[in-house]
Amino acid sequence: MRSLSSFFILCFVSFNNGIFCDAAPTLYDFGPGTIGAPMVFQVSTNYGTYEPTFEYRFKFDQFPQYDKTIVKYGFMEYKVTFESAKAGNYSVKIDVLHCRQGFPTYWIGTVNSTFQLTDSLTGTIAVNDDANKKVVSTAEAYKLTARMTYYFGFFDSANITYKWIINDEPQEGNDSVIQHTFSQPQLNNISVIVTATKTNGSGLIQKSGTFNTTLESRAPITNLTVDGPTEVKVFERLQLDCKIHGATPPFHYEYSFRMDKPYSEQITAMKDSNESFFSLIRYFSGKGTRSLKIVAKNDVSSFTKNMDISVY
């Protein structure tokens, strides 16, 4: 009994305006629920190769009218619309029990967690369909998409408007998607005001919210120049002065000297730097021609330089 209880550690996950529970001890939080729109508590248990029926006992301290017991095999969800709530943080307790022939047999675990309610719409801004992207290039145009938190189709029939503002400048268009080029290396503050209006029964419901993100735009590397000799004597100092052009730091560069004949040799090094200038200094103990590869990168670009160094 004790081993089963310790194995089924339940986690509580707020998933796109809902909550997900799984045997893995992992917590995700994708934002608060909106008052008047459906919020789904999704619960799943991972019982190895055997998945029995479970009894889920929901208890809301501040909303006892939504307390509910659900007996179900496998994946389960409980949809709740908090109509008369106030914005704030609330608590929920979920007891999970193993069932046999429709009756609870023993306790698996208990989830105690909090969830947040707000009177505003919630959502994110995705960059090229990536909600986690935070760095962009000054040489590209990007698709910005306003994504409302998942309300399970509640606003599908709503009239939705979008007002985009980038660096305090209102943008043209009122669609959920716009194209924009960030032409200067800088921090960019992006927001979109979303308003949804729909008929709900005999009444009208209107919700608004502002989604925000900050993107850092950086210039890409346009060239990598190398100044220095391509021939040196054995044990003579080789210094190659390298310059990254047209880019915004920070930088990462790596280089490798490789030779296959008259014997095999491989020399590699890498470094991070905020400077666009760096020097490669090497000494060689044997004759032969080394192939040199230099790769310079920043978060939005990469540039490669290849050359041969003859040691005599």
Side-chain angles (χ1 to χ4, degrees), residues 233-297:
K233 295 179 180 180
V234 173
F235 294 118
E236 182 181 16
R237 173 189 171 104
L238 171 69
Q239 178 170 331
L240 300 176
D241 296 326
C242 306
K243 174 69 175 178
I244 299 172
H245 296 269
T248 307
F251 302 111
H252 172 83
Y253 65 88
E254 53 191 66
Y255 65 90
S256 63
F257 291 94
R258 180 177 177 178
M259 183 175 69
D260 295 324
K261 297 179 180 180
Y263 58 89
S264 178
E265 181 182 85
Q266 180 82 28
I267 301 171
T268 61
M270 57 187 64
K271 186 177 180 181
D272 295 320
S273 176
N274 285 319
E275 302 296 328
S276 60
F277 177 87
F278 59 94
S279 294
L280 307 183
I281 299 175
R282 301 298 307 183
Y283 296 87
F284 300 98
S285 60
K287 297 180 180 181
T289 298
R290 275 79 172 175
S291 297
L292 171 60
K293 180 180 180 180
I294 308 172
V295 180
K297 304 176 182 179

Side-chain angles (χ1 to χ4, degrees), residues 65-269:
Q65 66 271 33
Y66 298 117
D67 291 354
K68 191 171 184 178
T69 296
I70 301 173
V71 177
K72 194 172 186 300
Y73 170 82
F75 180 82
M76 188 278 299
E77 67 178 29
Y78 177 32
K79 184 182 294 186
V80 184
T81 300
F82 298 94
E83 295 282 1
S84 57
K86 295 182 179 180
N89 294 318
Y90 298 94
S91 59
V92 62
K93 176 184 177 182
I94 308 172
D95 286 314
V96 183
L97 296 92
H98 178 278
C99 287
R100 184 170 296 160
Q101 297 181 346
F103 296 96
T105 53
Y106 56 84
W107 175 82
I108 296 296
T110 298
V111 176
N112 289 285
S113 190
T114 60
F115 61 96
Q116 184 181 1
L117 295 177
T118 177
D119 204 33
S120 301
L121 294 176
T122 60
T124 59
I125 297 174
V127 183
N128 287 354
D129 295 323
D130 183 357
N132 297 315
K133 192 174 185 63
K134 294 300 179 184
V135 181
V136 294
S137 171
T138 58
E140 299 178 32
Y142 290 88
K143 180 179 73 172
L144 305 177
T145 305
R147 293 178 176 172
M148 285 199 299
T149 298
Y150 190 38
Y151 295 104
F152 306 94
F154 183 74
F155 289 110
D156 286 354
S157 61
N159 178 32
I160 305 176
T161 61
Y162 302 86
K163 181 181 178 180
W164 289 89
I165 303 171
I166 299 178
N167 295 328
D168 298 325
E169 294 288 336
Q171 306 297 300
E172 294 183 1
N174 62 350
D175 199 358
S176 61
V177 180
I178 64 170
Q179 295 281 340
H180 190 79
T181 300
F182 302 91
S183 57
Q184 299 295 326
Q186 62 182 20
L187 284 176
N188 302 277
N189 297 313
I190 304 165
S191 62
V192 56
I193 302 171
V194 183
T195 302
T197 306
K198 67 169 289 184
T199 300
N200 189 29
S202 59
L204 192 69
I205 181 172
Q206 184 178 76
K207 298 289 182 179
S208 295
T210 302
F211 312 159
N212 300 286
T213 192
T214 300
L215 299 177
E216 183 176 359
S217 51
R218 296 178 181 171
I221 299 172
T222 58
N223 198 10
L224 174 64
T225 57
V226 180
D227 184 24
T230 58
E231 293 184 354
V232 292
K233 295 179 180 180
V234 173
F235 294 118
E236 182 181 16
R237 173 189 171 104
L238 171 69
Q239 178 170 331
L240 300 176
D241 296 326
C242 306
K243 174 69 175 178
I244 299 172
H245 296 269
T248 307
F251 302 111
H252 172 83
Y253 65 88
E254 53 191 66
Y255 65 90
S256 63
F257 291 94
R258 180 177 177 178
M259 183 175 69
D260 295 324
K261 297 179 180 180
Y263 58 89
S264 178
E265 181 182 85
Q266 180 82 28
I267 301 171
T268 61

Side-chain angles (χ1 to χ4, degrees), residues 10-23 26-28 30 38-46 56 58 60 70 72 74-80 92 94 96 111 113 115 150-153:
L10 298 177
C11 72
F12 188 77
V13 177
S14 166
F15 176 73
N16 281 359
N17 208 30
I19 296 161
F20 176 88
C21 174
D22 193 56
T26 308
L27 173 65
Y28 303 94
F30 292 89
M39 182 173 185
V40 171
F41 295 85
Q42 295 181 336
V43 183
S44 176
T45 54
N46 183 2
Y56 304 92
F58 286 83
F60 298 89
I70 301 173
K72 194 172 186 300
F75 180 82
M76 188 278 299
E77 67 178 29
Y78 177 32
K79 184 182 294 186
V80 184
V92 62
I94 308 172
V96 183
V111 176
S113 190
F115 61 96
Y150 190 38
Y151 295 104
F152 306 94

